[in-house]
Amino acid sequence: MNETSLTHPALLPVGLRDVLPPEAELEARSVETIMDCFAAHGYQRVKPPLLEFEDSLFAGSGAATAEQTFRLMDPESQRMMGLRADTTPQIARLATTRLASAPRPLRLAYAGQCLRVRGSQLQPERQIAQAGIELIGHDTAEADAEIILTAVEALAAVGLTSISIDLTVPRLVLHLLEDLPAANRPALARALDRKDAAEVAELDGPIAGLLLQLLEATGTAERAIPALLAIDLPESARIQAVRMAETVAAIRRQRPDLPLTADPVEFRGYQYHTGICMTLFAPGRQAELGRGGRYLCGDTEPATGITLYPDTIVRVAPDQKLRPRIYLPFGTTPEQAAACRAQNFATVAELDAHSPPLEEAARLGCSYIYKNGAIAPLAKDLK
Amino acid sequence: MNETSLTHPALLPVGLRDVLPPEAELEARSVETIMDCFAAHGYQRVKPPLLEFEDSLFAGSGAATAEQTFRLMDPESQRMMGLRADTTPQIARLATTRLASAPRPLRLAYAGQCLRVRGSQLQPERQIAQAGIELIGHDTAEADAEIILTAVEALAAVGLTSISIDLTVPRLVLHLLEDLPAANRPALARALDRKDAAEVAELDGPIAGLLLQLLEATGTAERAIPALLAIDLPESARIQAVRMAETVAAIRRQRPDLPLTADPVEFRGYQYHTGICMTLFAPGRQAELGRGGRYLCGDTEPATGITLYPDTIVRVAPDQKLRPRIYLPFGTTPEQAAACRAQNFATVAELDAHSPPLEEAARLGCSYIYKNGAIAPLAKDLK
């Protein structure tokens, strides 16, 4: 790596990249379409800074991001700062400080870049765009459903209408595991992670029986939820199961058609979550479009939120139309140029009168040319 | 500062801030309006990463940003990276590497955040939003004028129609100073900076005469340009003066009304510029909305560009209308909610049926409520 970088000084660090035309514009448009949908659902935009002190960045749910955060010394205060690796902890800080007295439920939205120290095999990118919402101060299935349905609507607004949603309740299994001797937990956690019923069965005892039934209670929500509710769970786990059923019901009241699966055994990757969690997938399930879940804001206030990933969204969303390019030969009047832009063309002005306009138009990627006072498509053999 | 920070752990580092509603949304909208105007003029959006290797970040015109750049070790490559303090050097890198064979003139646009190690008294912010354009590969007054007029149109699109523009040619005076003994230059530079004609006159010799005439050749373009062209300048300085006149003429052909001032003596703050530079001011001149100028892209290719400052723009631009908020009592159907959003309302859904809706609507900052199947304004005494 080092040698290659030194011989090609323009090379970017691993996991960082230049987004070129037209992708950069498509991504920016997708973000604004998503943010407009969030605004339409009453989520008000905030913009926390890219850098803040690490002790505020890593408070509460932010602790989970500490390992992935670039750190910097602030020359002004001599204190350590971090470059945000995730936005949700910053929103939680805002909600508990400057917006502590704002009325609840508090609905906030954000869009911006995050940076991570290392990429993973699954996600090599170290700069990640995020666009998300947080609903703070309400602990109901209605709130969980609102977050999910708003994200689904935002994705539909960028052309992604066949989303599937996975619901999980990571605390459910964690509550059951708490009743086991600590030494047994890691092996069992791995077995559950692999959905390995045979290995779970080896555990023996009442917990094993429950876990085996839970492993069966997965799949479409219509199949999983009745199976889940039929299991005789201890109280703390049962509360999570009931909330999952209520959330599915709340979603179904608004969107009976939405592809919804439930997996009450899944718990990995949700470090600070306290209730219903969700992952949104593109059709065919090759791409994770967003994820989120319920957590405690400032360690005490109920909250839920979801983050969408614009980099992935722009890769799987259907192409949006950008302005077609029209070449304006030297001498085109300002009024004529403005008229072309008003008709949604991107005007490309000739800056001197030295070159044959048709060839220039083609060379500069235009599909139209302005001539004799009119908009003319460029001949196919020139384009 | 340190003591205050420790007793208020939520405090952000100096020069970094949370942007709250409605400002965050107004800023994002202004940026997209500006970017749409840039796209309409054929400038294609790119998005370089926030972090890159310092040797590429500080190449060419980027050298001027080295002192203001936060540096980080990349754990992947063990090489130093910088957090961009300015976007133009990244665009220049792109133009000379991945877009080296893209047709010229190359028109690129960008929008994003920059971070700086220290704020100044004039600009305490350390995170600065930028939205800009670069026109690469064309060394003409038409190109200089296009950059300025496109920026002016972008500002008009966000409601800033009374912009004034200062044109400078920093190389002109620098060429003259080169003919002086090195020891005399600093004092003279300071005198010119203060427009102190008396001190310039003390210098004596032919250069002093020229500089005194240049000090007189400032003000509105209509006054300054003829005065400037009447001065008997040496060739290298004269080229700059003629280009300034040509640029004013190119602007005037499109916008005879634009408030345009010229100051051929101003040269501070333009470190790497090689030709016409411009600063855009809001009415009353209290705020700098953007600045830019001509430079060499990759040390050899002629280029010009301008950066607008959305933080400042949103502060001085007339208020845009955001969606009015309407409260949807529990039980409002999804179709009714969608109909409100289609009429450009931001819907605020009640999540349970426990509270009196009118009081709740008022408490949550709504100015409308949905009741009896219709949109009703909230009584004034409740709002």
Side-chain angles (χ1 to χ4, degrees):
Chain A
M1 183 59 224
N2 262 338
E3 201 180 46
T4 321
S5 309
L6 291 169
T7 50
H8 298 284
L11 209 67
L12 291 170
V14 177
L16 296 169
R17 69 189 185 107
D18 292 311
V19 187
L20 297 184
E23 190 188 341
E25 184 172 348
L26 293 172
E27 184 193 310
R29 280 192 186 204
S30 297
V31 169
E32 291 314 311
T33 302
I34 287 167
M35 295 305 286
D36 186 57
C37 181
F38 291 163
H41 284 79
Y43 289 80
Q44 296 185 288
R45 191 162 182 156
V46 293
K47 181 190 166 200
L50 283 165
L51 274 175
E52 56 176 279
F53 290 128
E54 58 172 15
D55 42 4
S56 68
L57 212 49
F58 303 154
S61 64
T65 67
E67 265 184 37
Q68 274 290 35
T69 302
F70 280 113
R71 271 160 246 215
L72 293 161
M73 171 69 85
D74 178 14
E76 298 286 347
S77 64
Q78 307 290 324
R79 290 171 63 192
M80 289 306 287
M81 303 188 293
L83 256 170
R84 70 161 170 247
D86 189 18
T87 321
T88 300
Q90 293 191 301
I91 307 297
R93 173 184 56 74
L94 255 177
T96 54
T97 54
R98 286 186 68 186
L99 299 175
S101 59
R104 266 48 176 175
L106 181 61
R107 290 173 169 95
L108 299 176
Y110 58 88
Q113 308 297 312
C114 293
L115 286 157
R116 299 195 178 159
V117 170
R118 287 180 197 279
S120 64
Q121 204 159 12
L122 222 64
Q123 187 173 50
E125 296 80 18
R126 293 199 284 169
Q127 177 170 334
I128 295 153
Q130 293 191 333
I133 45 177
E134 309 290 335
L135 202 175
I136 295 156
H138 221 271
D139 187 6
T140 61
E142 286 296 330
D144 294 323
E146 178 177 300
I147 282 284
I148 293 166
L149 291 167
T150 304
V152 166
E153 197 171 314
L155 291 170
V158 295
L160 290 169
T161 48
S162 322
I163 299 306
S164 66
I165 298 154
D166 277 12
L167 296 179
T168 58
V169 273
R171 284 283 137 204
L172 192 159
V173 163
L174 294 173
H175 280 310
L176 295 180
L177 294 184
E178 278 165 15
D179 293 339
L180 289 177
N184 291 358
R185 287 179 213 162
L188 189 61
R190 277 195 300 277
L192 288 173
D193 207 33
R194 291 198 306 272
K195 319 274 184 224
D196 187 336
E199 201 170 323
V200 171
E202 278 178 21
L203 174 77
D204 218 6
I207 301 290
L210 291 177
L211 291 174
L212 287 172
Q213 291 178 71
L214 283 170
L215 279 173
E216 288 298 305
T218 62
T220 65
E222 280 57 37
R223 182 189 174 282
I225 298 297
L228 176 62
L229 293 179
I231 304 173
D232 185 23
L233 292 165
E235 185 57 15
S236 61
R238 181 158 187 83
I239 289 169
Q240 297 281 337
V242 167
R243 170 60 76 85
M244 191 179 224
E246 289 171 351
T247 303
V248 167
I251 293 172
R252 283 285 173 253
R253 277 197 290 280
Q254 298 211 32
R255 289 289 305 267
D257 59 311
L258 213 54
L260 213 52
T261 65
D263 185 346
V265 176
E266 183 68 39
F267 62 96
R268 290 290 173 111
Y270 295 100
Q271 288 137 308
Y272 56 83
H273 293 84
T274 56
I276 299 292
C277 294
M278 65 295 283
T279 313
L280 275 56
F281 290 98
R285 311 184 60 85
Q286 74 279 40
E288 191 177 304
L289 304 174
R291 75 160 46 214
R294 181 161 286 284
Y295 61 98
L296 287 176
C297 176
D299 295 329
T300 53
E301 192 174 18
T304 180
I306 192 163
T307 304
L308 300 182
Y309 305 124
D311 308 305
T312 308
I313 289 166
V314 77
R315 221 169 54 228
V316 300
D319 276 349
Q320 304 164 67
K321 275 217 185 330
L322 297 184
R323 292 171 178 264
R325 285 161 73 84
I326 185 168
Y327 191 69
L328 306 183
F330 197 75
T332 304
T333 68
E335 294 73 24
Q336 290 168 330
C340 290
R341 288 188 288 269
Q343 289 176 65
N344 212 37
F345 283 95
T347 57
V348 177
E350 188 179 30
L351 295 169
D352 48 36
H354 300 324
S355 313
L358 277 173
E359 280 77 356
E360 277 296 281
R363 195 178 66 80
L364 289 169
C366 296
S367 40
Y368 292 82
I369 187 166
Y370 195 83
K371 61 175 182 183
N372 309 325
I375 291 164
L378 216 60
K380 285 247 184 309
D381 56 339
L382 275 172
K383 264 192 286 190
Chain B
M1 183 58 226
N2 262 338
E3 201 179 47
T4 322
S5 309
L6 291 169
T7 50
H8 298 284
L11 210 68
L12 291 170
V14 176
L16 296 168
R17 69 189 184 108
D18 293 310
V19 187
L20 297 184
E23 190 188 342
E25 184 172 347
L26 293 172
E27 184 193 311
R29 281 192 184 204
S30 297
V31 170
E32 290 315 309
T33 302
I34 287 167
M35 295 305 286
D36 186 57
C37 181
F38 291 164
H41 284 79
Y43 289 80
Q44 297 185 288
R45 192 163 181 154
V46 293
K47 181 191 165 199
L50 283 165
L51 273 175
E52 57 176 278
F53 290 128
E54 57 172 15
D55 41 4
S56 68
L57 212 49
F58 303 154
S61 64
T65 68
E67 264 185 39
Q68 274 291 36
T69 302
F70 279 113
R71 271 160 245 213
L72 292 161
M73 169 70 84
D74 177 14
E76 298 286 347
S77 65
Q78 309 290 323
R79 290 171 62 194
M80 290 306 287
M81 303 189 294
L83 257 170
R84 70 160 171 247
D86 189 18
T87 320
T88 300
Q90 294 192 299
I91 307 297
R93 173 184 57 74
L94 256 176
T96 53
T97 55
R98 287 186 66 187
L99 298 177
S101 59
R104 265 47 177 176
L106 181 62
R107 289 173 170 96
L108 298 176
Y110 59 87
Q113 307 297 311
C114 294
L115 286 157
R116 301 196 176 157
V117 170
R118 287 181 196 277
S120 64
Q121 204 160 10
L122 222 63
Q123 186 174 50
E125 297 80 19
R126 292 200 284 170
Q127 176 170 334
I128 296 153
Q130 292 191 336
I133 45 177
E134 308 292 335
L135 202 174
I136 296 157
H138 221 272
D139 188 5
T140 61
E142 286 295 330
D144 295 323
E146 179 177 299
I147 283 284
I148 293 166
L149 291 167
T150 304
V152 166
E153 197 171 314
L155 291 171
V158 296
L160 290 169
T161 47
S162 323
I163 300 305
S164 67
I165 299 156
D166 278 11
L167 296 179
T168 58
V169 273
R171 284 284 137 204
L172 192 158
V173 163
L174 294 172
H175 281 307
L176 294 181
L177 293 184
E178 278 164 14
D179 293 339
L180 289 177
N184 291 359
R185 287 180 212 159
L188 189 60
R190 277 196 299 278
L192 288 172
D193 208 33
R194 290 198 307 272
K195 319 273 185 228
D196 186 337
E199 202 170 321
V200 171
E202 279 178 21
L203 174 76
D204 219 5
I207 301 291
L210 291 177
L211 290 175
L212 287 172
Q213 289 178 72
L214 283 170
L215 280 173
E216 288 298 306
T218 63
T220 64
E222 279 58 35
R223 181 189 174 281
I225 298 296
L228 175 62
L229 293 178
I231 304 172
D232 185 24
L233 292 165
E235 184 59 15
S236 61
R238 180 158 187 84
I239 289 170
Q240 298 280 337
V242 168
R243 171 59 77 83
M244 192 179 222
E246 289 172 350
T247 303
V248 167
I251 293 171
R252 283 284 172 253
R253 277 197 291 280
Q254 298 212 31
R255 290 289 306 268
D257 58 312
L258 213 55
L260 212 54
T261 64
D263 185 345
V265 174
E266 184 68 40
F267 63 95
R268 290 289 174 113
Y270 294 100
Q271 289 136 308
Y272 57 83
H273 292 84
T274 57
I276 297 291
C277 294
M278 65 294 283
T279 312
L280 275 56
F281 290 97
R285 313 185 59 86
Q286 74 278 40
E288 191 178 303
L289 304 174
R291 72 160 50 212
R294 181 162 286 283
Y295 61 99
L296 287 176
C297 176
D299 295 330
T300 52
E301 193 174 17
T304 180
I306 193 164
T307 304
L308 300 182
Y309 305 124
D311 308 306
T312 308
I313 289 166
V314 77
R315 222 169 54 228
V316 300
D319 276 349
Q320 304 166 69
K321 273 217 184 333
L322 297 183
R323 291 171 177 263
R325 286 160 71 85
I326 185 168
Y327 191 70
L328 307 183
F330 196 76
T332 304
T333 68
E335 293 73 23
Q336 291 168 330
C340 290
R341 287 188 288 269
Q343 290 175 66
N344 212 36
F345 282 95
T347 57
V348 178
E350 188 179 31
L351 294 168
D352 48 36
H354 299 322
S355 312
L358 277 173
E359 280 78 357
E360 278 296 282
R363 194 178 65 83
L364 290 168
C366 296
S367 41
Y368 292 83
I369 187 165
Y370 194 83
K371 62 175 182 183
N372 310 324
I375 292 163
L378 216 61
K380 285 249 184 309
D381 56 340
L382 276 171
K383 266 190 282 189

